[in-house]
Amino acid sequence: MCRWLAYSGSPMLLDAVLYQPEHSLIDQSLHARMGVESTNGDGFGIGWYSADGDGTPAIFRDIGPAWNNRNLRELAAHVRSTLFFAHVRASTGSAIQQTNCHPFRHGRWLWMHNGAITDFHRLQRDLCMAVDPALFPCIEGSTDSEVMFYLAVTYGLDQDPPGAVARMTGLVERVGKEHGVADPMQMTIAVSDGERVWAFRYSSAGRSRSLFYSSKAETVRQLYPELPFLRAVSDATRLVVSEPLGDLPGVWNELPEASYAVLPSAALEDYFPFIPELP
């Protein structure tokens, strides 16, 4: 499958998150511990929002492995952002091409996914027919992940991100059932409008891929006051990751099965239940 991370918080060089941690995403591209494959070398991508931009995120994607891409290292050392995505890909069967690399972008939205729609080749036509005809020309690649994205846009991502993802998931499960696919959905998803990040963990079989969120910065600061990294970040700074970036106790929390998190969130809860809906 794949590995990904989403960062939201104080302005941060991408390098500090992508390369510097003990078990960074770049390390995970070669040595993933919790993924289906240990190597994720079928392309990569980053997406970020800039303070002086128009709200549309920038993306950089390539088909080679992340661990030896000099342009990625160069960008990471100079790009600073308050919200960014990064993804390293292990293809589940679709072509290794730039348009199949995550994150995907539509307007102000970024989207990335780890998992798969089971027997996507059997469900693809029916799922694509449900995409708003005005959006269908925007689909550039051949992945299930991109189709999921445009289904969510079709079902109201602009107005209600959790609801749109729930309706997208409900459609996939309904179409899967119609085609005799018992457990069609396997997903961890991150989606952002540049202000917030929504992260989802769900599978039809109830055995989802790994997903973790960081503890509140003030909590981690109390646990590890000696870490200089923590002095520079706000209390609202959080990450969601496919697998922890290090082994410090108390820093990483597993997002429960069938739930989603929002960064930043004014709610006291760290996560909420996720239930698919029929569109």
Side-chain angles (χ1 to χ4, degrees):
M1 298 282 174
C2 309
R3 305 281 84 183
W4 59 256
L5 69 79
Y7 172 89
S8 173
S10 298
M12 184 69 59
L13 282 174
L14 274 60
D15 177 80
V17 178
L18 295 185
Y19 285 93
Q20 293 183 25
E22 172 190 357
H23 188 46
S24 69
L25 191 69
I26 304 305
D27 182 62
Q28 292 176 33
S29 69
L30 268 171
H31 307 295
R33 301 170 183 171
M34 299 179 178
V36 176
E37 301 89 359
S38 60
T39 303
N40 298 275
D42 295 331
F44 69 87
I46 55 174
W48 69 95
Y49 297 85
S50 59
D52 55 354
D54 62 357
T56 302
I59 57 173
F60 171 59
R61 304 182 294 180
D62 202 358
I63 61 172
W67 63 76
N68 67 353
N69 190 283
R70 295 179 65 185
N71 289 329
L72 176 60
R73 183 174 284 278
E74 182 74 13
L75 280 172
H78 292 86
V79 172
R80 190 181 299 270
S81 176
T82 59
L83 199 162
F84 57 86
F85 282 9
H87 186 282
V88 291
R89 183 172 185 244
S91 172
T92 56
S94 55
I96 299 172
Q97 61 193 44
Q98 193 175 101
T99 53
N100 284 346
C101 294
H102 309 221
F104 302 101
R105 176 182 63 189
H106 180 74
R108 63 194 173 105
W109 291 96
L110 282 177
W111 173 282
M112 59 185 175
H113 167 235
N114 173 37
I117 296 176
T118 305
D119 290 340
F120 177 60
H121 63 285
R122 294 170 55 195
L123 315 186
Q124 184 173 7
R125 182 182 182 278
D126 288 354
L127 294 177
C128 286
M129 291 293 287
V131 173
D132 185 328
L135 294 170
F136 189 80
C138 300
I139 300 176
E140 297 183 321
S142 58
T143 64
D144 51 358
S145 304
E146 191 177 18
V147 173
M148 291 163 64
F149 180 27
Y150 282 99
L151 283 170
V153 177
T154 297
Y155 291 139
L157 190 64
D158 266 330
Q159 293 77 38
D160 176 17
V165 175
R167 290 185 283 275
M168 176 276 293
T169 306
L171 175 74
V172 171
E173 293 193 321
R174 189 191 77 194
V175 172
K177 183 177 180 180
E178 291 169 354
H179 287 264
V181 179
D183 298 312
M185 180 61 88
Q186 173 67 250
M187 71 181 207
T188 66
I189 288 170
V191 60
S192 179
D193 61 357
E195 296 181 4
R196 287 183 289 176
V197 176
W198 291 263
F200 301 84
R201 185 179 185 223
Y202 178 81
S203 66
S204 303
R207 297 187 299 274
S208 299
R209 302 292 181 244
S210 60
L211 196 62
F212 295 80
Y213 62 94
S214 63
S215 297
K216 294 179 180 178
E218 58 186 291
T219 300
V220 181
R221 203 177 283 118
Q222 291 172 5
L223 289 171
Y224 304 101
E226 73 280 6
L227 294 180
F229 172 83
L230 295 171
R231 299 177 198 140
V233 300
S234 68
D235 288 344
T237 298
R238 307 290 287 271
L239 290 101
V240 182
V241 298
S242 292
E243 55 187 78
L245 305 183
D247 298 322
L248 292 176
V251 175
W252 301 104
N253 313 276
E254 186 173 20
L255 191 67
E257 184 72 39
S259 64
Y260 74 95
V262 186
L263 308 179
S265 173
L268 296 177
E269 299 87 350
D270 281 328
Y271 54 84
F272 308 90
F274 176 78
I275 303 172
E277 302 174 8
L278 288 176

